[in-house]
Every structure is written in C-alpha cells, then in structure tokens.
C-alpha cells in the first residue's frame, strides 16, 4: 500500500491491547487494532491503531506516545485457552484462545477513548523486543524504547509475531540476549553498531572493531570461529542477501520448547540416503530368538529387525505384548504366565468398580456418567468400516467400551479423553483378548499420556520440536508456512496426538506403530514421520498458492491417502545424523546428545522429550484436587473456535 510520501510494507490485523491487568480480560478491556510497518520520509515507523481508526492509511498520524502510560496494559498473566478438540478433527482448536475473551462487543463504551491508545515509533528508537513466555494461548511482544519506556504490549490473537519480526529484521539487527532467551536487543545495520553490540553481548574476547572488519569481509568464517552460539536473528540479519529477496531465516518460533533453544537453520545437510527396508520378522525367525526357558535372546538384534521390517501379521499378537511393556523381554515363560494371572485378577477388580455402580448411583456421579457418555459416543464411530468392528451388535464395540471405562478406574486423574479409542482399536484388533489388550493399551498410554493432558504442554512442546526439525530439513517450506500464518504447524496436531492413526490405512498403522515402539534409531522418530509427510506434500503446498485455510483443508484430505512405504523418516534421520554441524538442540531431539541445563529455574523450562523410550514426567499434583477429575469432561467444546497460532 502506497500513498503520498509513505509506503506500508507490513500490515496485520487482530493485534490487541489488553488494557486491564486482570488474568481474565473483560471485553471492554480488549482493544482490537492493526499493526503496520511504514516507510515514510526516509524513516521506518511501527504504528498501531484501533480498528475503527486503522482503515485509512492516509490518516495515520505519526506522533510519539508518552511512554509513561505504556505499562498499563502489559500483563504477563497467562490468559485462558481452550484445551479441546473438534469432534470430527476438522479444525484443531486445542492451542487457540477462546473467542469470547478475544472480541470486544460492538458499541461497548470503554473506560477511556480507544484512539488515545494509538502509537507510532521510529524503528531507530527501539532498544529491545521481548517475546511472550512459551505456553500462552496467543503470543505478545513488548517493545522498549531507547528512553527506557515500554510501549503497550501487542497481543497477536490471530498470529503474526514471526512475520512482524522477520520484517523488522530487514531494517534492524535483532540479537538474542545471552542472559534472557526471550529478549532481543535492537541495533541498526552499520559497523559501529555491530562493534557496540559485540561489546555489550560479550561475544568476543578480542578487539570488537577488528572482528567487525573481518566479519564484513568474510562473515561465515568469522561467525563460526568466534561465536559460541548463533541465533536465527543474528545470522539472518548479517548474511548478505540479494536486494528484495526474502530472508530464509525467520526468527525462532513463538512457543519456544526450551529457553535458550536455538537452531542454526542454514546447516548444510548432505544428500538424503536411500534406505532399503527389510522383510517382516516371521514367526520362525522369532522362534530362533527364544531360549530353552522361553526367555528371548539377542533382544537388540531382534528389535533392529522389527524396526527395519516390522512384524508378520501372525506374530503381532505375541510380539506387541513385549513392545508395549506388558511382558518383559528378560522374563521366562513361567514368569510370563504368573504375570498374566496377576494382571488378569487386577483388571477384573478394576472393571468391577464401575460395573457394580447402579443406575441410581450413576445419576449422582456426574464424572462416571460423563465418561460413559463420551466413551459410548466415540466407540460408536471408531473404525466401523473395519470388519472387526462393523455391525450394530458387534462384540468388539463392547470390548472397546469396557476397556476404556476400566482405564478410567486405572488412571483416575486422566480418565478418558477423545482420541483414546483410536489408540485402543488397533491393539484390540491385534491382541483379541480383553485383559491383554487393556494392559498393552496402558503401555501405549504410558508413552503418549502427555498428549491428552488438559494443559496441552506436551503437544505444544512436540509441535515446537517438529518446527525445529523442519527448519533444519527444509527452511524454505518453513518460510512459506510462516508467510501463510501456518508456521505453528497446528495442522499437524492430530498426527502427533494419535500417532497418525487417521492418516494411514489400517494395515499401515499397525506396521508404523510397531516400528515406532522399538524406540529405534532414537527418540522422537514420530516427529520425523511428520517431517517426511510434509516433505512429500511440499510441492503441492508451495506451488498451489495455498493460504492457511487451504493448507489445513489439504492436510485433512490426506486421510487414508498416504502409504507408510513412501514415508522416508529413516532416511531423514540418517541425513541429519550424518551432518557434522548438526545444532546441539536438534541432536537433543534425536537423542544424539544429552539435554542441556535449562537457563531458567522454572520447572517447565526444560521438559523431557516424549519418545518411545522415555516416559513423560508426571506433573506435580494440582492444588485443587477436587476439581481435577472434571477436566476430561470439558475437552469437547460445543461451538467452534476461531483460533490463532502462537
């Protein structure tokens, strides 16, 4: 957009000011507006105005706002967010804010004129930019000026923080503070400022001016020889680029998985290797690993074979009990029989707990009644095209129902959450025994129970790590998704939640899961499966000109159209591990390096990765235990949410 003496280079709506410091914002305390970056009279300005004043760019008044009133709306209290799923998985609303707290009522009279909140500031007057904490339902930015005052915090209810920061990096050098990973120091693009920034950041022990001189002559060698850590912002700003070319190094994601979690996204990866998959493990091959007392021998070799080829259908019923931890790899046949007898008795004692509840008692037990209703609804539509579950009076449906209700007795805190029936269905189909299927299901839930917790921290952490992997593997695709407000990868939510159960045909799901359960070649292989799917769809997404809605629609339409044989997750893993300059944070995700110590003492700052070889940490008990069991009953919202990426 251009006018007399100015040009709008960036514009984003849905940017709110929160004028109240309360945790739960009133509608009157939310002021919707538009943020713009404008080139005007040889200067570049950042301007925010309320929606009723932002329509005509020619009327923008570029006047400074007194910083004394800028702190009134900068609240770092966490807003609420909706932790639910849409019933038919069409739109994922889990990481999006509730709309009733985000849209002000038309005609409502605010406590002060909304126009008084408008502000504009020259980019040269900015001193630093602070990003929001990970885990908030929407991201915000706090801008601090050279005078030391803070402008009103900008809350991006519809996403766009990454896009704004990427535009600002065209005009400014944004350097991550070594003391605070959420704080970015702002410097202009000139060598004297570079020298000062090196001095303030204490990145070099030698004379900064000499470093700057060498840097401008040879940026790459100087960077790698002198920097201990290089952030996306710093490298993206300093790397020479053709005029008008978009940077392929956007800022880090808003929902950063860990403080100080940095990635060098321009790593030179080698060629992607060709991987030859082996044949499935047969019953005869399995039998060769069984010793005289029924104890399995050469277990690592057997797991490698399962990883490379999967299992033959006739072997799954026995082998899955080992892969899911129901039976011990080291146990003898007699020990396994004793274990099964013990677990059978334990299962039926738990089942009796809910079976013995009379209808009159259940009317006074809203929790159990809610679980039963939710389970009956989900079971009635789980894999009904599969012969094992088709028909109105199918006994398989009754077993699904009984196992899921018994799981509510086994795990009171978690209970039942939509999606669990999708995880149980293939297990019951393979095991075909109620007790054994229950305990195998419990083993699977030990791996993925964090996916179903109300806080959704595990899911957001996985999406953040998926973004890091994709950034290294395909930065151009990441940039495209960012440009379409899809950089949060929320369209991958269902993939990770139920381990691609809805994406592949049923036989492919069985093969994929047993490979992932081996824990080989390292943790988080399921994230590389997601990267491999996006790699397969790369050209379709980028060459079709899809917007965010079309991207979501296209991803949802992949259901049952993918083949597990075409997903080259192992090839991606080998390509990454062969890279000698693989960033440390990516090594952590792949299990190639131990996790670094968190920079913050916050207990949620450095969570353990969810993987087939590590059980997610048990969260501390809530302070209000009386209300905790009801959380699973609020998972399914009645009305659709218009969310925003974080």
């Amino acid at each position: 957009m251009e006018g007399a003496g100015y040009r709008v280079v960036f514009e984003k709506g849905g940017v709110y000011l929160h004028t109240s410091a309360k945790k739960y914002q009133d509608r009157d305390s939310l002021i919707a507006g538009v943020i713009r970056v404008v080139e005007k009279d040889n200067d570049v300005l950042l301007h925010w105005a309320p929606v009723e004043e932002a329509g005509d760019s020619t009327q923008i008044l570029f006047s400074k706002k007194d910083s004394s009133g800028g702190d009134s709306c900068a609240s770092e209290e966490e807003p609420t967010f909706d932790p639910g799923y849409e019933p038919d998985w069409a739109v994922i609303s889990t990481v999006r804010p509730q709309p009733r707290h985000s849209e002000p009522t038309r005609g409502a009279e605010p406590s002060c004129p909304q126009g008084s909140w408008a502000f504009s500031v020259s980019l040269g007057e900015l001193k630093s930019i602070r990003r929001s904490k990970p885990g908030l339902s929407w991201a915000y930015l706090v801008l601090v000026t050279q005078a030391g005052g803070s402008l009103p915090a900008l809350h991006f209810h519809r996403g766009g923080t990454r896009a704004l920061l990427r535009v600002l990096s065209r005009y400014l050098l944004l350097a991550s503070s070594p003391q605070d990973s959420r704080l970015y120091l702002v410097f202009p693009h000139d060598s004297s400022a570079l020298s000062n920034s090196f001095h303030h950041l204490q990145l070099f022990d030698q004379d900064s001016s000499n470093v700057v001189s060498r840097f401008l002559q040879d940026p790459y060698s100087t960077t790698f020889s002198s920097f201990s850590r290089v952030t996306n912002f710093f490298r993206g700003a300093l790397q020479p680029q053709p005029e008008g070319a978009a940077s392929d190094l956007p800022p880090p994601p808003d929902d950063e998985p860990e403080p100080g979690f940095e990635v060098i996204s321009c790593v030179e990866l080698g060629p992607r290797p060709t991987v030859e998959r082996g044949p499935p493990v047969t019953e005869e091959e399995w039998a060769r690993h069984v010793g005289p007392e029924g104890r399995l021998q050469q277990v690592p070799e057997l797991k490698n074979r399962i990883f490379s080829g999967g299992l033959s259908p006739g072997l799954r019923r026995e082998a899955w009990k080992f892969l899911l931890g129901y039976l011990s790899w080291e146990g003898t046949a007699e020990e396994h029989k004793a274990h099964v007898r013990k677990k059978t008795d334990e299962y039926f004692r738990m089942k009796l707990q809910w079976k013995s509840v009379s209808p009159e008692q259940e009317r006074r037990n809203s929790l159990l009644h809610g679980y039963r209703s939710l389970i009956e609804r989900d079971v009635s539509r789980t894999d009904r095209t599969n012969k094992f579950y088709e028909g109105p009076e199918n006994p398989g449906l009754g077993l699904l129902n009984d196992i899921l209700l018994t799981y509510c007795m086994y795990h009171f805190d978690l209970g039942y959450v939509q999606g669990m029936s999708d995880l149980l269905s293939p297990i019951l189909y393979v095991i075909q025994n109620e007790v054994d299927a229950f305990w195998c299901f419990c083993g699977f839930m030990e791996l993925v129970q964090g996916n179903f917790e109300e806080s959704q921290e595990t899911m957001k952490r996985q999406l953040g790590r998926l973004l890091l992997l994709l950034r290294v593997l395909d930065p151009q695709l990441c940039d495209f998704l960012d440009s379409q407000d899809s950089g949060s990868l929320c369209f991958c939510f269902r993939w990770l939640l139920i381990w691609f159960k809805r994406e592949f045909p049923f036989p492919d799901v069985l093969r994929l899961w047993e490979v992932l359960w081996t824990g080989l070649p390292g943790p988080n292989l399921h994230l590389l499966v997601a990267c491999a799917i996006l790699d397969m769809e790369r050209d379709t997404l980028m060459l079709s000109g899809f917007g965010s809605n079309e991207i979501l629609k296209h991803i949802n339409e992949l259901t049952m159209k993918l083949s597990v044989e075409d997903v080259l997750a192992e090839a991606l893993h080998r390509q990454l591990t062969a890279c000698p300059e693989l960033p440390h944070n990516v090594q952590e995700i792949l299990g190639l390096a131990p996790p670094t110590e968190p920079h913050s003492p916050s207990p949620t700052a450095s969570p353990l990765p969810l993987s087939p070889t590590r059980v997610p940490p048990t969260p501390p008990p809530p302070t209000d235990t009386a209300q905790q069991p009801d959380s699973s009953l609020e998972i399914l919202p009645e009305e659709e949410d218009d969310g925003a990426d974080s």
Side-chain angles (χ1 to χ4, degrees):
M1 184 184 299
E2 296 189 8
Y6 77 93
R7 183 169 74 95
V8 177
V9 296
F10 175 83
E11 182 176 270
K12 179 66 179 178
V15 181
Y16 285 70
L17 299 188
H18 293 193
T19 61
S20 170
K22 297 179 181 179
K23 181 175 183 179
Y24 302 101
Q25 299 287 328
D26 300 323
R27 293 184 178 182
D28 293 346
S29 67
L30 299 177
I31 304 178
V34 177
I35 190 72
R36 292 188 176 101
V37 177
V38 182
E39 294 179 350
K40 185 180 191 316
D41 298 333
N42 297 321
D43 196 5
V44 183
L45 303 133
L46 185 68
H47 176 81
W48 182 91
V51 287
E52 61 267 23
E53 300 181 8
D56 185 0
S57 300
T58 62
Q59 301 302 317
I60 295 177
L61 299 177
F62 299 103
S63 59
K64 299 176 186 176
K65 186 179 186 300
D66 185 2
S67 62
S68 62
D71 293 331
S72 62
C73 62
S75 169
E76 295 201 10
E77 292 268 344
E78 288 194 14
T80 59
F81 62 89
D82 175 18
Y85 320 108
E86 293 299 330
D88 294 321
W89 307 96
V91 178
I92 302 302
S93 61
T94 308
V95 293
R96 299 177 178 186
Q98 297 183 8
R100 59 179 177 273
H101 297 307
S102 61
E103 293 291 340
T105 305
R106 287 187 180 274
E109 291 294 327
S111 57
C112 60
Q114 293 189 0
S116 64
W117 291 93
F119 67 85
S120 63
V121 62
S122 171
L123 298 190
E125 297 179 7
L126 294 180
K127 180 180 181 180
S128 64
I129 300 174
R130 179 176 293 277
R131 296 187 297 119
S132 55
K133 298 178 181 178
L136 300 184
S137 57
W138 52 71
Y140 65 80
L141 297 176
V142 178
L143 309 177
V144 179
T145 64
Q146 296 287 350
S150 296
L151 297 172
L154 303 172
H155 294 257
F156 291 74
H157 287 205
R158 301 175 190 169
T161 54
R162 286 186 294 273
L164 174 59
L165 291 171
R166 188 165 57 249
V167 170
L168 294 181
S169 66
R170 300 178 192 170
Y171 306 96
L172 302 168
L173 176 63
L174 303 176
S176 177
S177 168
Q179 285 78 33
D180 186 346
S181 62
R182 297 190 294 116
L183 179 66
Y184 293 94
L185 307 179
V186 177
F187 302 97
H189 282 299
D190 61 71
S191 59
S192 61
L194 280 176
S195 179
N196 291 332
S197 69
F198 293 155
H199 172 73
H200 290 305
L201 294 176
Q202 298 179 349
L203 295 176
F204 303 102
D205 295 329
Q206 53 191 295
D207 179 64
S208 297
S209 60
N210 294 335
V211 174
V212 172
S213 175
R214 290 191 294 107
F215 188 91
L216 296 177
Q217 297 174 3
D218 188 359
Y220 294 106
S221 61
T222 308
T223 297
F224 282 116
S225 63
S226 302
F227 278 16
S228 60
R229 303 202 310 173
V230 185
T231 67
N232 279 340
F233 277 128
F234 220 105
R235 251 187 112 171
L238 297 178
Q239 181 177 354
Q241 296 187 16
E243 185 176 354
S247 170
D248 62 349
L249 297 174
D254 295 316
D255 279 340
E256 189 176 50
E258 299 180 13
F261 207 92
E262 299 174 358
V263 61
I264 303 174
S265 53
C266 54
V267 170
E268 291 293 335
L269 296 178
R272 189 168 301 170
T274 301
V275 176
E276 294 292 335
R277 303 288 297 172
V281 178
T282 63
E283 296 173 73
E284 293 76 13
E285 183 178 354
W286 179 276
R288 291 196 294 270
H289 287 268
V290 179
E293 296 182 343
R295 195 191 310 271
L296 288 171
Q297 301 173 337
Q298 299 174 319
V299 173
E301 176 186 330
L302 183 58
K303 285 185 178 181
N304 271 302
R305 279 288 295 114
I306 297 173
F307 171 75
S308 65
L311 296 162
S312 61
L315 181 58
R316 285 185 175 131
R317 184 174 183 179
E318 179 179 2
W320 279 25
K321 299 174 186 178
F322 292 90
L323 289 170
L324 290 169
Y326 177 37
L327 299 181
S328 170
W329 294 94
E330 294 80 21
T332 65
E334 288 301 319
E335 290 171 343
H336 291 158
K337 289 179 182 179
H339 180 74
V340 169
R341 285 194 298 268
K342 175 185 175 182
K343 289 298 185 181
T344 299
D345 179 67
E346 187 177 345
Y347 172 78
F348 282 110
R349 280 190 285 108
M350 289 187 293
K351 183 175 181 179
L352 185 61
Q353 292 177 10
W354 64 266
K355 277 282 191 179
S356 60
V357 175
S358 67
E360 184 179 352
Q361 286 178 302
E362 187 171 324
R363 283 197 295 270
R364 295 190 295 271
N365 190 334
S366 59
L367 180 61
L368 179 60
H369 179 72
Y371 285 148
R372 188 190 295 273
S373 300
L374 190 57
I375 289 171
E376 288 177 355
R377 186 182 68 177
D378 287 352
V379 164
S380 66
R381 57 187 185 181
T382 299
D383 291 326
R384 298 307 303 274
T385 58
N386 188 304
K387 290 185 178 181
F388 190 77
Y389 298 109
E390 68 181 2
E393 302 296 331
N394 193 296
L397 300 179
L399 292 178
L400 279 177
N401 182 86
D402 290 359
I403 292 173
L404 292 171
L405 273 171
T406 305
Y407 185 77
C408 295
M409 302 294 105
Y410 173 78
H411 200 316
F412 285 104
D413 289 338
L414 187 59
Y416 177 80
V417 183
Q418 186 189 25
M420 291 182 181
S421 61
D422 281 283
L423 300 184
L424 173 60
S425 171
I427 294 175
L428 181 59
Y429 169 84
V430 168
I431 303 298
Q432 299 193 8
N433 176 280
E434 180 180 359
V435 175
D436 294 345
F438 171 82
W439 291 111
C440 288
F441 173 68
C442 290
F444 195 4
M445 286 301 301
E446 285 295 312
L447 303 178
V448 299
Q449 69 178 15
N451 293 5
F452 298 95
E453 292 172 353
E454 184 180 8
S455 68
Q456 292 297 300
E457 287 303 317
T458 297
M459 287 301 302
K460 287 183 278 188
R461 185 162 65 247
Q462 289 184 87
L463 288 171
R465 290 176 171 173
L466 174 59
L467 181 60
L468 288 174
L469 291 173
L470 191 64
R471 171 65 59 190
V472 174
L473 288 166
D474 197 339
Q476 290 77 23
L477 177 58
C478 281
D479 286 347
F480 168 76
L481 295 174
D482 275 338
S483 69
Q484 302 303 321
D485 288 334
S486 299
S488 62
L489 304 182
C490 285
F491 52 83
C492 300
F493 184 91
R494 183 179 71 189
W495 297 0
L496 306 183
L497 180 74
I498 54 175
W499 275 27
F500 312 96
K501 168 62 167 50
R502 299 284 185 93
E503 318 315 317
F504 294 98
F506 202 83
D508 283 7
V509 171
L510 306 183
R511 175 65 53 84
L512 175 63
W513 282 7
E514 62 199 15
V515 168
L516 293 175
W517 289 336
T518 65
L520 300 174
N524 295 311
L525 184 64
H526 65 301
L527 300 182
L528 289 179
V529 173
C531 288
I533 296 175
L534 292 175
D535 181 71
M536 292 165 53
E537 300 300 316
R538 180 184 195 274
D539 292 343
T540 302
L541 294 174
M542 297 185 66
L543 300 180
S544 300
F546 285 163
S548 58
N549 291 334
E550 290 80 9
I551 291 173
L552 177 62
K553 182 174 182 292
H554 177 76
I555 294 299
N556 282 330
E557 289 175 349
L558 295 177
T559 299
M560 299 301 168
K561 296 179 182 178
L562 299 173
S563 170
V564 74
E565 297 297 332
D566 298 331
V567 177
L568 305 178
E570 185 180 1
L572 296 181
H573 187 276
R574 293 187 183 182
Q575 184 183 27
L576 289 171
T577 55
C579 176
E581 297 178 353
L582 194 66
H584 184 79
N585 51 4
V586 179
Q587 294 182 43
E588 292 178 11
I589 296 174
L590 300 179
L592 304 175
T596 56
E597 290 295 324
H599 288 240
S600 168
S602 171
T604 59
S606 181
L608 294 176
L610 178 71
S611 71
T613 57
R614 297 182 75 171
V615 178
T618 304
T623 55
D624 187 3
T625 56
Q627 297 181 1
Q628 179 67 12
D630 293 333
S631 61
S632 297
L633 299 182
E634 301 171 359
I635 292 286
L636 293 173
E638 294 298 328
E639 51 187 272
E640 283 195 2
D641 294 331
D642 295 327
D645 58 4
S646 298

